[in-house]
Amino acid sequence: MDHKSMHEEQPTIDLLPPLNRKCLMLVHGLHGLFIFVPVLLGIWSWLEFGWLYGLLVWLVAVFAGMIIISKLKLAYIPFNQHELSHSTTAILKWVVFKRFC
């Protein structure tokens, strides 16, 4: 295999430029929502209906958050990076960069 064909197989990676302070605050706020909303929903339903319902509501909320993050990854991360592993924060950085900053 020659050097040129090896180079063609490697995908190019689009790098995210550094975000300003306002955009980073928005990223961390959204990340906090993805963490604390399921917990708060679980605690509320536990206090309101019992521990089993609290656990089930928390699980459903976590799965809903995972589905939303998955859809955001497909919508906002460049196509050549879909196979790479991205953290929730990295996905939210792309969303904030493309939508708000």
Side-chain angles (χ1 to χ4, degrees):
M1 186 180 286
D2 63 348
H3 180 64
K4 186 176 181 179
S5 63
M6 283 178 39
H7 182 65
E8 290 174 350
E9 293 176 4
Q10 296 174 349
T12 58
I13 297 177
D14 297 331
L15 297 177
L16 184 65
L19 299 175
N20 61 25
R21 187 180 186 117
K22 178 181 155 188
C23 295
L24 282 176
M25 286 177 47
L26 184 58
V27 168
H28 293 302
L30 288 172
H31 189 256
L33 285 175
F34 275 99
I35 291 174
F36 291 116
V37 166
V39 171
L40 293 175
L41 286 174
I43 290 171
W44 172 78
S45 58
W46 181 357
L47 294 174
E48 202 62 35
F49 305 108
W51 68 270
L52 182 61
Y53 290 108
L55 181 66
L56 292 175
V57 167
W58 173 75
L59 279 174
V60 168
V62 167
F63 286 134
M66 291 167 55
I67 291 170
I68 291 169
I69 286 292
S70 161
K71 296 294 183 183
L72 289 175
K73 179 180 179 180
L74 291 175
Y76 289 100
I77 291 189
F79 182 73
N80 61 356
Q81 295 183 25
H82 281 187
E83 294 299 321
L84 300 175
S85 178
H86 295 282
S87 67
T88 303
T89 305
I91 295 169
L92 291 174
K93 281 182 181 180
W94 277 102
V95 171
V96 168
F97 173 71
K98 288 191 172 183
R99 292 285 289 183
F100 303 108
C101 296

